[in-house]
């Protein structure tokens, strides 16, 4: 069911001329909004030493090529970094949504003493500044032995594995997602589960066969948001992983910051490559973004 | 129908369609594309380390990758029985990266490289030490001694027994911790000096100043000639520390400087104020708006003959890349440096700032014998020669290293430092690192932006009291 | 007996006001315990426990390298130091946070404004939406690079190239745009020019984020209400103030809390732009004491962290009460 369409002519303040002015104004603002991104994009096709440094950054190009992209890919080990990002992102995404829906399910479909307490716990936890938890978390990870079979880096402890990053992401993001999903699940009529209860379905069947399918839109919306947040994470990837070859792609841009030289165009190319996945997901799944952000907010 | 919202509208009510097949396909293809890319990336994982000892020396090394790890099998004598040694450090730049790979080749060891960019390396070193590589690059001076006295790095005195004869006294004392044991293997160093372009100075008739008064007169002359006398930068907050160090050592002597760095003198002392008074006499000749300028930008202005001189380390020349810019080689050949002018005749020009870079051993390395072997190799002439041959912005610390291939600048640097009576390491390496960047560096920024000297020094002294100096 | 359960009416009448609860089986209970227990254990163990430990560490002194046995309890000394000796760092940072709160509220209003404009069903609104939201999907490393090098760089930046006149050092110029002195401090507080540059970069991101929230909220406002207002002869501004804005109240609460919390825990963008002197906020103070070059100021860093937490907690509690009170009421 789509939202009722607004007929602009029947809204207060409608005026033909004003609409034209509005379009023009918005276009101008949109163009200036994009200027930083377009400049970086433009810079990525030029060579630093040969071109930008001599002729100026915004001059017409001597030569346009994909050289910077190839160079950034190799020197920044970006292929490997993407692999690391995936290794962290996919399990974190799935686990977070799974755990959050479990918690939301248990807290909203059943009445028990600590219902609200747990929801409060999770929501407050997500609003915490991450810097506050970092230091002791590091020490905790350092002391948990982790067998090599389960480890991706064989450090002997949980510290230094990408798994440790997955775990902290799940721990943090479950909070917000549980809260949002619980709001959503409250809108699922009790009658549906009531029927199942009467039929003798177990709780786990209720969850997997009734609630989970019904929650799909919310999960999809949250999933797209979560993808962006997890992908763009900068803090945990750089402080928990000391081996450079384990770092996710967003930290890999640092590698291209030379100690002595900053090849501006090279970093521009790396930035474009790093930004592409989130931009692609955003454009393709835009509606879900909007849905995801509002799932928790439209509360009566 | 009331306008009040009584419950959350479901996404479908606000126009979000159910999860459609199209969206799954798009989302799925994005993810699988990324997975495909990742598979390409991880194929770079190179040869099985255990073949190092058995294969005939084939001199294979993997592609130069500035980030992440590189597995390199040396072409030297088969030492596969020592296993893999891990080495971490700042090897992300092209030239230092090739240099370290060449150096590793001469060692004949199987080394796994962990290349990190400078900022991450230095910022995260404290956490890195909790899970370090076997061998790691670091700096001499207080910076090393602080970690050594906390028991965070390994004792390498046994390696020094082998390599000791090839290093001067100054280097050994820079590698020694407070307990008298060595914790550091020196590798390279580079001096700080005032750099200039010879052709420009000849053309304008400038002469190298020896005393402070000569220096001030020269600066005024350059200014009236329409050039920028002193190229300046302070991005990161550390470049201006060079000025403080040199003026302090010239005004108050090396011993006072070390004492001040060690937290044993008050920053409100008149001697310290005198340093700032002297410093303020050259500020009018600085390049303007230098607070966020990078040293590369300032160096570029030196190369372009817009500014006349620049106080920096000899890594300045790495800003000019002959392969990318045909004029760069001409600039490099034209660059020379001179010693900071004398202020107080009692001290003359006896002190030189020359930070020493080298390697330390982890407290409990996974491969102790391998780590020792690598460190011994790093302390040897053959390895450093291979490295310096590629990276000409630094000079070998090992006195037995062959210097015949040195550029004129390198030769002058080597002589310059070896002739010096005292070698300092630069402010952020000579004192508690946190104190250096968060207190002193910030204080310099404040003062240079126009703060009051008394307020600034009082704050520094008060904050200093909260630090424990070793 | 027919077992065709699908046709049995569901409203097998419990008395009005009382629900019929089935007693949960043992297996069910176990399942539920795991369903909540595992995520909760993870969350408590990795988020709450470290935070509590940070609180404890803020009363101690430790250099993070020596063994745990060297942790030394120092009572309130860390707090005393950050308030008296390091006040030269702390209060300018807190003032920056305050400025950020005000600024982000202005940006949120801007976001609402853009959302309102885009809600008018004009052509290409989807494109405008994407453009404004684009900065939000970019990683902060990318945003940092774009603003530091592409826009603000003194010698290469776009702004310096395009705006005629002498080059401005946007990120380095820490001179104050306005200053004032509070009686008990011997340094002045003010807004640094380079922090203002950071505010521009943050606005670029924040406006799009808030705009999307309001867009969705506006879609849920009943258009017949607004039609009625138009028929009654309201001007647009009146209609907005009296019809649309009140209907957005739940979103306003969320936006307000998000804005304040983001302003308090700001870190990413400032760090990637280099944490220049004059742009510090409480978030950067925490990190620079815990991981910076020294990295050994665990006590001080934790004290800064607890201060940050205390500032946030009031708003967090307000948000929770607001939301969960409404939950129980529904």
């Amino acid at each position: 069911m789509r939202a009722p369409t607004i007929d602009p002519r029947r809204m207060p303040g409608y005026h033909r001329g004003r609409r034209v002015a509005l379009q023009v104004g918005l276009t101008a603002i949109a163009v200036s909004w994009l200027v930083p991104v377009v400049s970086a994009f433009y810079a990525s096709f030029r060579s630093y030493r040969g071109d930008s440094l001599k002729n100026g950054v915004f001059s017409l190009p001597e030569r346009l090529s994909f050289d910077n992209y190839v160079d950034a890919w190799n020197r920044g080990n970006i292929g490997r970094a993407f692999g690391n990002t995936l290794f962290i992102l996919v399990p974190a995404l799935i686990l977070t949504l799974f755990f959050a829906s479990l918690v939301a399910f248990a807290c909203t479909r059943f009445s028990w003493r600590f219902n609200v307490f747990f929801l409060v716990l999770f929501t407050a936890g997500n609003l915490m500044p991450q810097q506050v938890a970092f230091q002791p978390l590091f020490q905790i990870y350092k002391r948990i032995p982790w067998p090599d079979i389960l480890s991706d880096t064989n450090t002997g402890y949980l510290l230094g594995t990408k798994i440790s990053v997955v775990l902290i992401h799940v721990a943090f993001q479950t909070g917000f997602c549980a809260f949002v999903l619980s709001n959503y699940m409250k809108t699922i009529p009790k009658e549906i589960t009531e029927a199942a209860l009467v039929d003798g379905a177990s709780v786990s069947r209720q969850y997997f066969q009734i609630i989970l399918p019904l929650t799909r839109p919310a999960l999809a919306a949250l999933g797209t948001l979560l993808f962006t947040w997890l992908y763009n994470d900068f803090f945990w990837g750089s402080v928990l992983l000391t081996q450079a070859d384990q770092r996710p792609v967003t930290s890999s841009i640092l590698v291209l910051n030379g100690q002595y030289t900053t090849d501006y165009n090279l970093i521009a190319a790396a930035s474009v490559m790093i930004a592409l996945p989130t931009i692609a997901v955003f454009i393709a799944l835009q509606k879900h973004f909007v849905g995801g952000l509002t799932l928790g907010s439209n509360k009566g | 129908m009331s306008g009040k919202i009584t419950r959350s509208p479901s996404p479908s009510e606000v126009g979000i369609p159910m999860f459609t097949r199209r969206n799954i396909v798009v989302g799925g293809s994005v993810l699988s594309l990324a997975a495909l890319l990742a598979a390409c990336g991880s194929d770079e994982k190179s040869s099985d380390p255990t073949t190092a000892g058995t294969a005939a020396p084939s001199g294979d090394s993997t592609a130069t990758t500035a980030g992440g790890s590189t597995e390199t099998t040396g072409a030297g004598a088969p030492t596969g029985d020592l296993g893999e040694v891990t080495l971490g450090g700042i090897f992300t730049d092209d030239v230092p990266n090739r240099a370290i790979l060449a150096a590793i080749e001469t060692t004949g060891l199987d080394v796994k490289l962990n290349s990190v960019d400078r900022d991450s390396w230095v910022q995260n070193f404290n956490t890195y030490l909790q899970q370090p590589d076997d061998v790691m690059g670091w700096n001499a001076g207080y910076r090393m001694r602080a970690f050594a006295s906390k028991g965070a790095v390994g004792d390498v005195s046994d390696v020094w027994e082998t390599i000791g004869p090839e290093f001067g006294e100054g280097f050994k004392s820079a590698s020694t911790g407070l307990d008298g044991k060595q914790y550091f293997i020196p590798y390279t160093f580079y001096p700080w000096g005032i750099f200039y372009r010879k052709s420009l100075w000849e053309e304008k008739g400038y002469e190298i100043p020896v005393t402070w008064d000569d220096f001030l007169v020269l600066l005024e002359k350059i200014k009236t000639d329409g050039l920028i006398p002193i190229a300046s930068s302070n991005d990161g907050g550390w470049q201006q520390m060079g000025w403080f160090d040199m003026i302090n050592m010239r005004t108050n002597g090396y011993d006072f400087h070390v004492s001040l760095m060690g937290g044993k003198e008050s920053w409100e002392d008149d001697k310290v104020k005198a340093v700032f008074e002297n410093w303020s006499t050259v500020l009018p000749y600085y390049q303007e708006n230098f607070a966020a300028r990078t040293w590369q930008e300032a160096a570029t202005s030196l190369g372009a003959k817009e500014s006349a001189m620049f106080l920096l380390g000899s890594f300045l020349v790495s800003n000019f890349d002959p392969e990318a810019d045909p004029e760069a080689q001409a600039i490099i050949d034209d660059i020379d440096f001179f010693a900071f002018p004398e202020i107080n005749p009692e001290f003359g020009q006896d002190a030189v700032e020359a930070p020493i870079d080298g390697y330390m051993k982890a407290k409990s390395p996974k491969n102790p014998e391998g780590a020792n072997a690598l460190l011994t190799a790093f302390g040897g002439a053959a390895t450093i020669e291979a490295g310096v041959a590629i990276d000409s912005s630094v000079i070998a610390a090992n006195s037995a290293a062959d210097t015949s291939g040195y550029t004129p600048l390198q030769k002058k640097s080597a002589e310059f430092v070896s002739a010096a009576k005292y070698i300092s390491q630069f402010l952020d390496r000579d004192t508690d690192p946190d104190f250096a960047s968060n207190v002193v560096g910030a204080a310099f920024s404040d003062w240079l932006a126009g703060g009051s000297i008394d307020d600034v020094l009082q704050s520094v002294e008060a904050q200093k009291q909260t630090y424990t100096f070793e | 007996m027919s077992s065709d359960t699908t046709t049995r009416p569901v409203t097998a009448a419990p008395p009005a006001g009382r629900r019929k609860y089935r007693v949960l089986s043992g297996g069910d209970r176990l399942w539920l315990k795991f369903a909540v227990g595992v995520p909760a254990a993870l969350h408590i163990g990795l988020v709450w426990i470290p935070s509590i430990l940070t609180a404890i560490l803020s009363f101690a002194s430790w250099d993070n390298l020596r063994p745990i046995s060297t942790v030394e309890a120092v009572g309130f000394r860390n707090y005393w130091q950050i308030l008296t000796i390091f006040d030269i760092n702390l209060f300018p940072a807190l003032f920056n946070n305050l400025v950020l709160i005000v600024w982000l509220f202005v940006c949120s209003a801007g976001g609402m404004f853009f959302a309102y404009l885009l809600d008018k069903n004009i052509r290409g609104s989807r494109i405008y939406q994407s453009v404004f939201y684009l900065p939000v999907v970019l990683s902060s490393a990318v945003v940092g690079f774009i603003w530091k090098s592409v826009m603000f760089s003194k010698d290469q930046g776009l702004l310096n190239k395009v705006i005629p006149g002498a080059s401005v050092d946007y990120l380095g110029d820490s001179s104050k745009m306005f200053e004032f002195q509070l009686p008990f401090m011997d340094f002045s507080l003010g807004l640094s020019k380079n922090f203002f540059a950071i505010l521009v970069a943050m606005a670029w991101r924040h406006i799009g984020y808030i705009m999307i929230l309001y867009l969705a909220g506006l879609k849920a406002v009943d258009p017949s209400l607004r039609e009625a207002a138009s028929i009654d002869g309201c001007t647009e501004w009146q209609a907005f103030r009296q019809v649309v804005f009140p209907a957005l109240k739940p979103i306003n609460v969320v936006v307000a809390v998000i804005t304040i919390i983001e302003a308090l825990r700001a870190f990413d963008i400032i760090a990637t732009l280099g944490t220049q002197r004059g742009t510090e906020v409480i978030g950067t103070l925490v990190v620079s004491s815990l991981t910076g070059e020294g990295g050994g100021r665990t006590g001080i860093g934790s004290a800064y962290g607890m201060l940050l937490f205390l500032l946030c907690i009031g708003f967090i509690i307000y948000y929770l009460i607001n939301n969960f009170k409404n939950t129980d009421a529904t």
Side-chain angles (χ1 to χ4, degrees):
Chain A
M1 183 173 106
R2 295 190 53 79
T5 340
I6 298 176
D7 182 0
R9 285 165 298 179
R10 292 159 73 187
M11 293 295 129
Y14 177 78
H15 188 273
R16 197 66 178 276
R18 276 167 89 178
R19 283 190 81 77
V20 173
L22 182 63
Q23 293 265 165
V24 170
L26 275 178
T27 309
I29 297 178
V31 166
S32 60
W33 217 255
L34 281 180
V35 160
V37 177
V38 169
S39 312
F41 189 66
Y42 173 58
S44 68
F45 291 107
R46 303 173 61 190
S47 145
Y48 180 63
R49 287 254 148 76
D51 196 352
S52 309
L53 196 56
K54 283 190 310 192
N55 306 333
V57 173
F58 295 103
S59 56
L60 287 173
E62 254 176 49
R63 190 178 146 254
L64 292 175
S65 74
F66 278 98
D67 285 349
N68 284 325
Y69 285 90
V70 175
D71 208 10
W73 181 272
N74 289 328
R75 285 186 52 187
N77 226 342
I78 290 189
R80 172 129 204 186
F82 268 128
N84 291 337
T85 294
L86 267 180
F87 188 99
I88 295 173
L89 188 116
V90 172
L93 188 65
I94 296 175
L95 277 177
T96 304
L97 289 177
F98 180 55
F99 282 155
S101 60
L102 281 176
V103 171
F105 173 66
C107 289
T108 55
R109 313 306 294 180
F110 302 91
S111 213
W112 47 291
R113 265 197 0 227
F114 293 110
N115 225 342
V116 177
F117 167 74
F118 271 104
L119 280 179
V120 169
L121 185 79
F122 278 104
T123 313
N126 181 254
L127 290 169
M128 282 258 246
Q130 296 178 327
Q131 298 91 319
V132 173
F134 145 69
Q135 186 79 290
L137 182 71
F138 191 88
Q139 296 296 329
I140 290 175
Y141 276 157
K142 191 177 164 192
R143 285 164 175 75
I144 299 181
W146 199 252
D148 280 358
I149 319 172
L150 296 173
S151 166
D152 53 291
T153 48
N154 297 351
T155 50
Y157 290 93
L158 197 49
L159 183 67
T161 64
K162 294 196 280 287
I163 294 170
S164 66
V165 181
V166 172
L167 288 177
I168 184 63
H169 278 316
V170 174
F172 244 108
Q173 302 294 353
T174 309
F176 177 73
C177 296
F179 173 66
V180 162
L181 286 173
S182 69
N183 279 352
Y184 184 78
M185 281 190 189
K186 279 180 200 148
T187 71
I188 298 178
K190 287 271 188 204
E191 286 77 21
I192 297 181
T193 34
E194 206 115 309
L197 273 173
V198 167
D199 283 353
S202 72
V203 160
S204 116
R205 266 186 71 189
Q206 271 183 55
Y207 170 76
F208 280 106
Q209 292 183 354
I210 301 178
I211 299 293
L212 204 52
L214 282 177
T215 320
R216 267 218 305 242
L219 286 175
L222 263 185
T224 50
L225 271 186
L226 207 52
F227 175 88
T228 307
W229 292 335
L230 292 175
Y231 182 90
N232 284 342
D233 160 67
F234 183 70
F235 184 68
W236 293 118
S238 48
V239 301
L240 284 179
L241 297 168
T242 53
Q243 291 288 319
D245 60 343
Q246 299 300 321
R247 290 210 176 124
V249 77
T250 42
S251 312
S252 70
I253 197 178
L254 296 173
V255 162
L256 298 169
N257 272 340
Q259 180 175 3
Y260 295 150
T261 62
T262 307
D263 189 334
Y264 166 100
N265 302 73
L266 186 70
I267 300 186
S271 301
V272 170
M273 282 195 284
I274 292 174
L276 275 179
T278 40
I279 295 181
V281 165
F282 170 62
I283 292 179
L285 303 175
Q286 216 180 79
K287 287 189 180 141
H288 293 287
F289 267 91
V290 180
L293 280 174
T294 61
L295 279 173
S297 45
N298 290 7
K299 275 283 315 148
Chain B
M1 176 140 121
S2 81
K4 210 157 58 98
I5 302 171
T6 50
R7 60 166 180 78
S8 329
S10 70
S12 52
E13 287 173 300
V14 290
I16 320 284
M18 292 284 283
F19 206 65
T20 63
R21 273 180 61 184
R22 182 172 157 273
N23 290 341
I24 300 174
V25 167
V26 171
S29 56
V30 167
L31 288 177
S32 39
L33 183 65
L36 201 64
L37 296 173
C40 294
S42 26
D43 280 347
E44 286 177 54
K45 198 104 178 77
S46 53
S47 56
D48 178 13
T50 56
T51 62
T54 51
S58 53
D60 62 86
S61 54
T62 50
T64 305
T65 48
S69 75
T70 317
E71 309 231 5
T72 312
T73 317
T79 44
D81 43 47
L82 284 177
E84 182 184 83
V85 186
T86 50
L87 169 68
I90 307 170
F91 304 121
T92 48
D93 289 83
D94 190 37
V95 170
N97 186 271
R98 284 186 286 127
I100 194 64
L101 289 173
I104 290 172
E105 281 235 12
T106 66
T107 67
L109 292 167
D110 177 20
V111 177
K112 179 171 186 275
L113 206 61
N114 177 22
S115 308
V116 181
D117 65 290
R118 186 192 183 271
D119 283 339
S120 301
W121 183 256
V122 174
Q123 292 293 321
N124 294 331
F125 197 68
N126 204 285
T127 45
Y128 168 81
L129 277 179
Q130 320 265 337
Q131 210 173 46
D133 296 300
D134 295 325
V135 174
M136 54 200 128
W138 200 236
N139 321 117
Y142 186 95
R143 237 186 196 175
M144 172 273 298
R145 283 196 289 273
F147 287 117
S149 53
K150 288 180 186 168
V153 291
D155 178 5
V156 295
S157 312
D158 45 355
V159 177
W160 265 92
E161 279 170 31
T162 322
I163 64 173
E166 293 178 354
F167 288 93
E169 263 312 298
F171 288 105
K172 186 160 189 188
S173 60
S175 311
T176 307
L178 293 167
D179 56 359
K181 301 192 192 137
Q182 282 77 43
Y183 291 93
F184 182 79
I185 305 292
Y187 192 63
T188 59
F189 66 93
Y190 57 90
W192 274 63
I194 302 186
F195 287 81
Y196 67 102
R197 283 196 69 169
K198 291 180 287 203
S199 58
L200 176 68
W201 281 46
E202 263 180 49
E203 185 192 318
K204 298 285 188 184
Y206 301 145
E207 289 190 12
I208 294 178
V210 177
T211 66
W212 191 245
D213 294 325
D214 291 343
F215 187 51
L216 291 173
V217 165
L218 176 63
L219 290 173
E220 187 57 42
K221 183 164 178 223
I222 300 176
K223 191 166 180 184
T224 48
D225 281 351
L227 294 171
I228 302 170
I230 302 175
S232 314
S233 66
N234 204 21
D235 178 56
W238 51 272
Q239 292 115 72
Q240 293 301 318
M241 292 175 182
W243 281 91
F244 178 83
D245 282 355
M246 291 315 302
I247 297 180
N248 194 20
M249 289 197 288
R250 294 288 190 258
T251 310
N252 300 313
Y254 175 77
D255 290 331
F256 178 78
H257 180 71
V258 169
S259 196
L260 180 69
M261 293 294 110
K264 299 181 178 55
E265 308 279 350
S266 166
W267 279 77
E268 292 180 281
D269 193 310
D270 284 338
K271 286 187 176 178
V272 179
K273 290 211 175 93
V275 174
F276 283 94
E277 274 159 29
N278 287 336
W279 196 355
S280 56
T281 58
V282 292
L283 287 183
Y285 303 104
Y286 267 27
Q287 203 174 8
E288 281 176 353
N289 297 329
F290 56 87
R293 177 176 299 116
T294 59
W295 67 261
Q296 290 93 332
E297 291 168 324
T300 304
S301 79
L302 184 76
K305 294 190 179 180
E306 287 161 8
S307 39
M309 64 184 95
F310 191 18
L311 174 65
L312 200 75
S314 65
F315 54 81
L316 177 140
V317 293
S318 63
N319 187 49
F320 307 102
D321 183 359
E323 282 178 39
D325 183 6
E327 289 158 52
Q329 191 56 51
I331 297 178
I332 294 176
D333 294 336
D334 192 31
I335 285 185
D336 194 11
F337 69 93
F338 60 88
F340 201 86
E342 166 192 303
I343 297 180
N344 185 334
E346 184 187 335
F347 304 113
Q349 292 175 310
D350 60 1
V352 152
E353 207 142 56
I356 303 171
D357 292 329
Y359 296 94
M360 300 195 296
K361 187 169 75 168
K363 181 77 180 174
S364 322
K366 281 191 177 156
N367 184 350
E369 294 91 30
N372 274 353
L374 186 60
L375 285 170
T376 312
F378 276 144
T383 304
I384 183 61
E385 279 164 16
V388 171
I390 295 182
D391 185 358
S392 59
S393 68
V394 292
I395 299 138
N398 186 319
S399 44
D402 177 22
T403 61
S404 55
Y406 276 6
T407 66
L409 209 56
Q410 276 177 305
K411 282 206 177 90
K412 180 165 177 180
S413 303
E415 286 159 15
F416 186 61
V417 175
S418 58
K421 200 161 162 208
Y422 302 112
I423 305 177
S424 65
Q425 291 296 295
F426 200 73
L427 197 145
D428 63 1
R429 301 182 184 193
D430 274 329
T431 186
D432 181 294
D434 187 57
F435 178 65
S437 57
N438 289 338
V439 179
V440 177
F444 287 169
S445 297
D446 286 345
W447 177 71
L448 288 166
S452 133
I453 186 60
D454 293 314
D455 290 340
V456 164
L457 289 180
Q458 188 198 33
S459 170
V460 170
E461 183 58 29
Q463 292 182 64
K464 188 197 92 181
Q465 303 294 342
T466 68
Y467 287 83
T468 16
F469 289 88
E470 304 296 336
Chain C
M1 180 91 97
S2 158
S3 52
D4 183 9
T5 51
T6 50
T7 56
R8 195 188 319 177
V10 170
T11 47
R18 270 188 54 208
R19 285 278 182 79
K20 189 166 83 176
Y21 287 109
R22 189 188 76 165
V23 174
L24 293 172
S25 72
D28 281 346
R29 295 186 111 86
L30 194 63
W31 194 93
L32 280 175
K33 284 201 174 84
F34 267 101
V36 176
V38 170
L42 199 61
H43 186 79
I44 294 175
L46 296 184
V47 175
W48 285 98
I49 291 187
S51 303
I52 294 172
L53 286 175
T54 296
I56 296 176
L57 279 175
S58 70
F59 295 104
S61 167
W62 188 40
D63 66 356
N64 197 32
L65 276 181
R66 288 192 246 242
I68 296 245
S69 49
T70 60
V71 174
E72 182 201 334
V74 295
F76 281 93
R77 192 182 76 188
N78 292 328
Y79 290 100
W80 178 248
Q81 282 181 355
I82 64 177
L83 287 173
T84 54
I85 299 177
F86 295 111
D87 57 349
I88 195 172
N89 293 330
L90 179 64
F91 289 107
L94 285 177
F95 185 73
N96 278 342
N97 280 106
L98 185 63
V99 168
L100 201 50
I101 290 179
V102 172
W103 176 256
L104 288 185
F105 263 110
V106 169
C107 294
S108 296
M112 175 161 59
F113 178 63
F114 281 156
Y116 184 75
L117 291 179
L118 288 181
D119 189 45
K120 288 169 182 275
N121 213 12
I122 51 181
R123 284 169 45 188
S125 68
R126 185 82 69 78
I127 299 181
Y128 292 127
Q129 205 175 304
S130 307
V131 168
F132 291 130
Y133 195 66
L134 185 65
V136 185
V137 300
L138 295 176
S139 155
S140 55
V142 173
V143 173
F145 163 69
I146 287 180
W147 285 93
K148 184 171 187 189
S149 303
V150 177
M151 300 297 289
F152 284 141
S153 165
K154 186 176 179 309
D155 298 326
Q156 299 165 334
L158 177 61
L159 290 177
N160 272 319
K161 295 280 180 198
V162 160
I163 299 176
S167 282
V168 178
D169 189 6
Y170 291 101
L171 287 177
D173 189 359
S174 62
S175 59
K176 308 264 198 293
M177 293 172 84
F178 63 84
E179 284 184 85
F180 58 93
Q181 189 121 358
L182 287 176
F184 48 88
M185 291 178 207
D186 36 80
F187 48 86
S188 60
L189 291 176
L191 172 65
S192 321
K193 290 190 181 141
N194 52 8
F195 194 64
F196 186 73
I198 298 215
L199 291 180
V200 171
M202 293 191 84
W204 191 58
R205 232 187 179 187
H206 191 77
I207 291 181
Y209 180 52
I210 302 292
M211 179 195 77
I212 293 276
L213 287 178
Y214 275 119
L215 257 181
L218 281 171
K219 284 205 200 326
V221 173
D222 191 347
S224 63
L225 272 182
R226 296 156 83 175
E227 276 185 44
S230 165
I231 292 173
D232 281 351
C234 286
T235 66
E236 194 166 3
W237 171 245
Q238 281 175 322
F240 178 78
R241 221 173 48 144
Q242 285 159 11
V243 173
V244 178
F245 193 72
L248 289 174
K249 182 163 178 296
I251 298 208
N252 287 337
V253 170
V254 171
V255 166
V257 175
I258 288 179
T259 300
I260 293 181
I261 300 249
E262 287 303 313
L264 286 173
R265 61 178 191 179
F267 171 73
D268 273 5
I269 301 239
I270 299 174
T272 48
L273 283 173
T275 320
Q276 312 284 348
R277 187 99 183 116
T279 65
E280 289 103 346
V281 289
I282 185 93
T284 60
L285 286 180
V286 175
V287 174
S288 69
S289 300
L290 291 178
T291 63
E293 296 227 14
R297 319 264 287 159
T298 307
I300 302 273
S302 302
Y304 281 133
M306 287 325 292
L307 201 57
L308 172 59
F309 177 71
L310 287 172
L311 289 171
C312 290
I313 196 70
F315 300 104
I316 295 178
I317 292 179
Y318 168 68
Y319 177 76
L320 290 171
I321 292 180
N322 199 338
N323 269 284
F324 287 98
K325 206 170 53 161
N326 293 342
T327 309
D328 294 343
T330 321

